[in-house]
Amino acid sequence: MNTIIEHLTGLHTLTDDVIAMDFLMNAKSGVRNYAMAVTECATPEIKQTIPTIFQSKFSSI
């Protein structure tokens, strides 16, 4: 995060709240990107492959 923004928002110290918010923002971004990839697929085969890759990638979490 930009240093100026960190000081203006009071987030210049790394707290549990900041870590949780960062994690949730990244997770939301990942899901959005995944959804966009699935909806923009050119063929049904690719559309079926993406969820398989997604599940195998995140099944260990």
Side-chain angles (χ1 to χ4, degrees):
M1 193 180 298
N2 186 326
T3 306
I4 295 171
I5 294 173
E6 288 175 356
H7 286 287
L8 289 174
T9 59
L11 298 177
H12 58 279
T13 57
L14 195 60
T15 63
D16 289 342
D17 293 341
V18 175
I19 294 169
M21 180 62 73
D22 187 52
F23 175 78
L24 290 174
M25 288 172 49
N26 285 325
K28 182 179 177 181
S29 176
V31 169
R32 184 183 314 120
N33 292 338
Y34 166 73
M36 287 174 50
V38 169
T39 58
E40 293 179 1
C41 288
T43 64
E45 292 83 15
I46 296 173
K47 203 172 213 172
Q48 291 173 352
T49 303
I50 290 177
T52 304
I53 295 169
F54 185 78
Q55 288 174 351
S56 67
K57 179 82 172 169
F58 297 106
S59 64
S60 62
I61 296 177

